[in-house]
């Protein structure tokens, strides 16, 4: 279970930035080119690259290159796993940490 806490906290840290949350919201509609994401913000390309690196390292987004363009999608399997882990943490269950003595 400790690994679940570590992985979930990495993802939550990456999502704690409002700009990155907005990027995730944009990607919920499907794959986007970095150039399209950049158009939605008043930031530089290096700033976007940093934010996308944080999201990718946390396992929230996947990237693919096509020529000089980078396309991003949500890693739905990882996000679903985080959602399920949080659901387990937020409810009482027989093996819950709060029942340990």
């Amino acid at each position: 279970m400790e690994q679940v806490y570590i992985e979930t906290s990495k993802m939550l840290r990456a999502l704690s930035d409002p700009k990155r949350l907005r990027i995730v919201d944009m990607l919920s509609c499907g794959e986007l080119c970095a150039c399209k994401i950049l158009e939605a913000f008043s930031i530089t390309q290096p700033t976007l690259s940093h934010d996308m690196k944080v999201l990718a390292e946390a396992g929230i987004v996947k990237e693919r290159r096509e020529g000089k363009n980078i396309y991003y999608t949500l890693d739905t399997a990882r996000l679903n796993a985080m959602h399920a882990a949080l659901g387990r943490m937020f409810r009482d269950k027989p093996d819950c940490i709060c029942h340990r003595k």
Side-chain angles (χ1 to χ4, degrees), residues 31-96:
E31 182 179 70
L32 285 174
C33 177
C35 58
K36 292 295 182 191
I37 298 169
L38 191 58
E39 289 174 6
F41 297 93
S42 297
I43 59 173
T44 64
Q45 186 276 328
T47 300
L48 177 64
S49 291
H50 170 75
D51 285 322
M52 299 314 293
K53 180 181 177 187
V54 169
L55 291 170
E57 287 178 350
I60 295 168
V61 300
K62 297 185 284 189
E63 66 178 56
R64 71 175 181 86
R65 293 184 182 271
E66 189 173 297
K68 61 182 180 175
N69 292 322
I70 302 175
Y71 292 85
Y72 293 96
T73 56
L74 293 179
D75 188 335
T76 53
R78 293 286 308 271
L79 288 168
N80 288 339
M82 180 187 71
H83 185 262
L86 288 172
R88 285 188 303 276
M89 286 179 216
F90 292 160
R91 68 176 183 270
D92 189 11
K93 56 209 165 290
D95 65 340
C96 186

